[in-house]
Amino acid sequence: MKAFAYVDARNEKEAVAALKFAGGVAMPLAGGQDLLARMKDYVAAPDRLVNVKGALDTTIVATPDGGLKIGAAMKIVDLMENAQVQRLYPAVIAASGEIGTPQIRNQGTIGGNINQRPRCWYFRNEEFVCYKKGGNRCFSPAGENQFHAIFGNNGPSHIVHPSSLAVPFVAYGAKFRVASASGEHEVPAADYFTMPTLRNVQKENVLGDDELLTHVILPPPGNVKSGHYEVRYKASHDWPLAFATVVLAMNGNTIQSARVVLGAVAPVPWRSEDAERALAGKPLNEQTATEAADAAIRAAQPLNRNGYKVQIARTSVKRAILQAAGQPVERI
Ligand SMILES: Cc1cc2nc3c(=O)[nH]c(=O)nc-3n(C[C@H](O)[C@H](O)[C@H](O)COP(=O)(O)OP(=O)(O)OC[C@H]3O[C@@H](n4cnc5c(N)ncnc54)[C@H](O)[C@@H]3O)c2cc1C
Ligand code: SF4
């Protein structure tokens, strides 16, 4: 591992000041599960690590409008066990509880989870210098693309976004607070994640090199029903193959409007407007769920080895809707 300087920031101001570093590359360190692994694999080589665990907020507070403001240094396990989140945002709880293992949830932070880098095995192997590492090609279309994208496959990269929390945060309409030495601003979670282009392919979001994600701000959920369904190759210790969060604004048993967001299927949390249109104005029942699930996969463009994920995505959407309806759904 390359030698690096280490800054133990005591507060947000110190952390953002330390990230503005003229002497090379500075990176925030939270639980370290992703960043330290990349450093050990020679995929990341920062000159300075800025420990943000003691600098950023670890709490959840209610906002005046009835939503919640969640600190980015909070551990996943603490999010999962929070009574207010359990009451207001059950899909966030469902996503948190399926991440990795108890040990991973006990070490990983919300900020680290949202900003973790892709799991593409070419990206994770130092020998493959692909677009994301400054190279001029992507190895996945002609390679081992079993776990890659089935939506948004225009390239140049075909990753799936690795964060499980990002999907319910987008579905509930969260905003992310971002801070740097020059100020702070909020970005809708839906606009935070970026589709790859040749100009921005080395990043997965809008965060600048000297910026930190400090809070997730969830709006009051209103009269909604929500569901979250994940499918994994094995039950734990792994990322999902495909999953979905649905948030349905209800009027009696009629769905007024819907947000349907899929995970592990595209370079960003993938919102399906086709599925949302199929749900609006319909009764919440199995037929509606089936029609929405069919609509959700209409635009799928799988690669040559991951066509199997299309059906898994369909099942995830259907079962997330049935779960929102209060129906028991089988775990895969
Ligand atoms: C076996 C295994 C299974 C897993 N399964 C899942 C899963 O199913 N779903 C899932 O979502 N994740 C899964 N994970 C990933 C795990 O949840 C993440 O590695 C973890 O959440 C990262 O959090 P961390 O705090 O350790 O991040 P770190 O490794 O400290 O940071 C991750 C990245 O985010 C940056 N960063 C950290 N904090 C901030 C911040 N506040 N602002 C800006 N950038 C920041 C860092 O610079 C780094 O690049 C799994 C991990 C393992 C090892
Ligand atoms: S999918 Fe993205 S990360 Fe993987 S090889 Fe292609 S460019 Fe690299």
Side-chain angles (χ1 to χ4, degrees), residues 86-321:
Q86 288 171 0
R87 185 169 56 83
L88 295 172
Y89 310 101
V92 172
I93 299 297
S96 315
E98 296 219 36
I99 291 171
T101 62
Q103 293 86 347
I104 290 163
R105 298 192 288 271
N106 197 43
Q107 179 70 14
T109 62
I110 295 168
N113 183 275
I114 291 169
N115 291 289
Q116 63 178 301
R117 301 300 311 278
R119 304 306 308 176
C120 171
W121 32 38
Y122 300 111
F123 175 71
R124 295 269 158 180
N125 185 321
E126 63 168 320
E127 312 259 315
F128 291 88
V129 184
C130 68
Y131 284 123
K132 275 215 179 280
K133 290 183 286 192
N136 62 3
R137 60 179 292 204
C138 172
F139 296 90
S140 67
E144 301 290 334
N145 54 46
Q146 291 88 327
F147 303 120
H148 286 73
I150 57 170
F151 291 97
N153 259 332
N154 299 326
S157 172
H158 301 270
I159 59 145
V160 295
H161 200 279
S163 170
S164 296
L165 293 179
V167 170
F169 285 150
V170 171
Y172 282 116
K175 287 187 178 160
F176 292 165
R177 178 178 176 269
V178 169
S180 72
S182 52
E184 60 176 87
H185 63 280
E186 290 177 9
V187 190
D191 299 337
Y192 184 81
F193 304 99
T194 47
M195 285 296 286
T197 64
L198 281 174
R199 281 166 62 97
N200 73 0
V201 65
Q202 293 191 46
K203 286 174 171 283
E204 290 79 49
N205 56 50
V206 295
L207 207 65
D209 291 340
D210 61 347
E211 289 183 323
L212 271 177
L213 172 65
T214 68
H215 292 89
V216 174
I217 302 157
L218 283 157
N223 181 25
V224 299
K225 291 180 189 281
S226 55
H228 181 88
Y229 194 86
E230 303 197 2
V231 180
R232 279 181 165 68
Y233 183 68
K234 52 185 192 282
S236 87
H237 212 269
D238 211 351
W239 280 260
L241 294 169
F243 64 104
T245 302
V246 300
V247 177
L248 310 174
M250 301 300 298
N251 181 7
N253 192 42
T254 303
I255 302 164
Q256 273 186 320
S257 63
R259 277 195 180 229
V260 177
V261 186
L262 288 94
V265 297
V268 295
W270 187 257
R271 193 165 161 195
S272 172
E273 290 181 4
D274 286 340
E276 292 173 3
R277 273 192 292 274
L279 288 165
K282 303 277 178 53
L284 179 50
N285 58 30
E286 179 150 9
Q287 186 188 335
T288 303
T290 304
E291 287 166 7
D294 289 341
I297 57 165
R298 211 173 284 144
Q301 307 164 293
L303 301 168
N304 64 342
R305 289 172 189 240
N306 68 3
Y308 75 100
K309 284 181 61 166
V310 176
Q311 178 58 22
I312 293 177
R314 180 181 176 278
T315 300
S316 300
V317 171
K318 180 171 176 181
R319 292 188 182 183
I321 296 168

